[in-house]
Amino acid sequence: MSANLKHLEIPIVGMDCNRCPQTIEKALKGIAGVKKASVNFSTKKAYVEFDLEAASLKKILEAIRAAGYQSGVSTLKVG
């Protein structure tokens, strides 16, 4: 595993249908450096694995906003 590979857990505000996670995942996967992105409708959270050298937290949060959703307080897991 790359030392720059990080895991991010982001609460998502505004999901109200079963298609919402797919919209957010598509936006996240469109960011260079994002290796994996999944959104769970039940828990209202996005899980993102990304390369810190290629992607940034700012870009990830901007993609969520651009898709029409808001993010809550995020948790970054190192390693």
Side-chain angles (χ1 to χ4, degrees), residues 3-69:
N4 292 316
L5 201 57
K6 306 299 178 203
H7 301 275
L8 188 61
E9 184 178 304
I10 310 166
I12 304 293
V13 178
M15 287 197 297
D16 58 5
C17 72
N18 289 333
R19 286 180 288 171
C20 293
Q22 295 160 343
T23 301
I24 299 166
E25 285 175 8
K26 183 177 179 182
L28 292 171
K29 290 176 181 177
I31 300 170
V34 170
K35 305 299 182 190
K36 294 180 186 175
S38 65
V39 179
N40 186 304
F41 182 73
S42 298
T43 63
K44 308 278 194 240
K45 290 185 181 181
Y47 302 91
V48 184
E49 183 177 293
F50 67 103
D51 184 338
L52 195 55
E53 288 185 0
S56 68
L57 177 59
K58 181 179 178 182
K59 286 181 185 177
I60 291 169
L61 297 178
E62 285 173 352
I64 292 170
R65 282 198 262 334
Y69 303 90

